[in-house]
Amino acid sequence: MARIGKYQAVKGMGDSFPEESGRWRALENWACSVAGRFGYGEIRTPLVEPTELFVRSIGEETDIVEKEMFTFPGSGNKSFSLRPEGTAGVVRACLEGNVFASNPLARYFYLGPMFRRERPQAGRRRQFHQFGAEALGSRHPALDAELIDLLLLFLEECGLTGWTLAVNSVGCPECRPAYRERLGRYLEEVEEKLCDNCRRRRETNPLRALDCKNPGCRKLAAAGPKPLDSLCPDCSSHLAAVRELLTGLDLPFSLDPLMVRGLDYYTSLVFEVTGPALGAQDAVAGGGRYDNLVGELGGPDLGAAGFSVGLERLLLGLAGKEIPPVPAPAGRLYLAAVGPESFRSQFNLLSRLRRRGFTALTDYGKRSLKAQMREANKLGVDRVVIRGPEELSAGTVKIKDMESGKETTVPENETITSLTRCISS
Ligand code: HAM
């Protein structure tokens, strides 16, 4: 259609008319539904934050901070930036609101625009939109697996097919210095073949060379040392535990030793989902652990992880497909586990129940059954599913109706049918 009028939207930013806005709303409804089932509540943070917050979090020598932020001066010497991503703002908000005082495991999701001054092309915009989820307060590998499960369930329920999941570990302050040194030495050997950016960052931020889009640098990175070869025992066992949990949930993934993600705050596990038919911009979603960020921004030393999905890219992957409507929510459940074997079984059941529309939570803090029942009560759930050593050996679970206090024992393989029946009756 020929354009009329004197003004056009800013390059890389655009409008949505009702036909398209309906699809946006459908994605947003799915995001709220899926995140809700995993116990993530919505957080809304400002579009503008102090520039320093992004510099400290994302890293001074990253593409985002070096060349992609929309930055403007405030009064005095202040500098502000439009948010290029959501994690830094969520951590800032959690610290400012002191959420950890009342909530040792804070789980939030967000929806909204992000801004990066990139060269616009299909699937790459200067104003784009993310659905993100962040969980702060635990280093348990089940948290990583839960976030990946949430992300994949969201993509599947929106109707995306043909996605692939890759995971990797980028190490932690324990093992990364030695790796950086190894990588630095290698990059020095091949310095002449590196692009200007990688040459410049070689000494100060060599890991970024693994993320460089330049084909020559990619080839060199593939031939050099990988973070996986230098992991400390904690990072190795964390990666192994997450892989085991993902396998237990039947979620297919591959290990990509070259994936480091474009932001410096990551530690240990990272992941990325690529979508079908997205061309050069094929990453639909990415995330990982950022166990040091909360501490670096002045908060307590606690584990945290998250992801975000690019909604423009998701819509491209869903082109020509109907986005299904969101079903009515099923009941609210708490799964109490006693011991590691019980936890593994409950973790799998958790995932299956969420796929059936239930809001379902469990404990990652290895707390006593009594403490878990207290937590379930506080959360106001309809039923608690208990699986202790007795139930494990009998192949059953105990279902407690929190309103009447009545307990029923049912065979393990009838748990979902039984819960569906008693909650809908
Ligand atoms: P990211 O990989 O920079 O991670 O972005 C996540 C997703 O946002 C990408 O996979 C992509 O789908 C989308 N995206 C990024 N840039 C653009 C763009 N210019 N145009 C369109 N879509 C884009 C983060 O933002 C982290 N905050 C993820 C995270 C959350 N890690 C931990 N918690």
Side-chain angles (χ1 to χ4, degrees), residues 85 87 116 118 123 125 130 134 261 265-266 283-284 306 308 310:
E85 59 100 54
T87 312
R116 294 183 196 175
E118 294 191 80
R125 312 283 297 158
Q130 285 185 344
E134 314 289 347
R261 315 258 313 114
Y265 52 59
Y266 290 111
V284 183
S308 42

Side-chain angles (χ1 to χ4, degrees), residues 64 84-88 110 114 116 118 123-130 132-134 261-263 265-266 272-273 283-290 305-314:
I64 298 181
E85 59 100 54
T87 312
Y110 49 90
M114 308 291 160
R116 294 183 196 175
E118 294 191 80
R124 193 161 74 191
R125 312 283 297 158
R126 289 184 166 181
Q127 175 176 329
F128 61 100
H129 298 77
Q130 285 185 344
E134 314 289 347
R261 315 258 313 114
L263 306 98
Y265 52 59
Y266 290 111
E272 226 163 66
V273 174
V284 183
R289 281 217 154 253
Y290 47 92
F307 70 78
S308 42
V309 187
L311 297 183
E312 277 79 4
R313 294 194 193 165
L314 176 55

Side-chain angles (χ1 to χ4, degrees), residues 338-409:
V338 188
E341 201 186 330
S342 156
F343 178 81
R344 270 195 299 278
S345 307
Q346 294 294 63
F347 191 67
N348 283 10
L349 178 61
L350 198 65
S351 172
R352 284 188 285 136
L353 287 165
R354 287 162 171 166
R355 286 178 151 68
R356 296 297 183 96
F358 287 99
T359 296
L361 293 171
T362 194
D363 170 57
Y364 294 156
K366 299 180 186 152
R367 284 182 289 186
S368 69
L369 183 58
K370 210 162 154 196
Q372 293 184 62
M373 294 308 284
R374 255 201 315 272
E375 169 83 356
N377 209 13
K378 202 169 105 191
L379 290 166
V381 299
D382 306 309
R383 299 277 192 288
V384 179
V385 182
I386 304 162
R387 190 173 347 216
E390 225 175 274
E391 286 80 18
L392 265 180
S393 60
T396 58
V397 298
K398 206 167 8 182
I399 300 177
K400 179 169 181 174
D401 180 331
M402 295 301 273
E403 206 180 306
S404 67
K406 202 176 133 205
E407 291 185 352
T408 334
T409 298

Side-chain angles (χ1 to χ4, degrees), residues 176-195:
R176 207 179 301 165
Y179 170 67
R180 270 176 62 131
E181 222 178 288
R182 267 181 81 187
L183 180 64
R185 278 199 303 272
Y186 168 74
L187 294 176
E188 196 179 350
E189 282 165 28
V190 296
E191 184 169 7
E192 272 152 43
K193 298 182 197 152
L194 293 173
C195 74

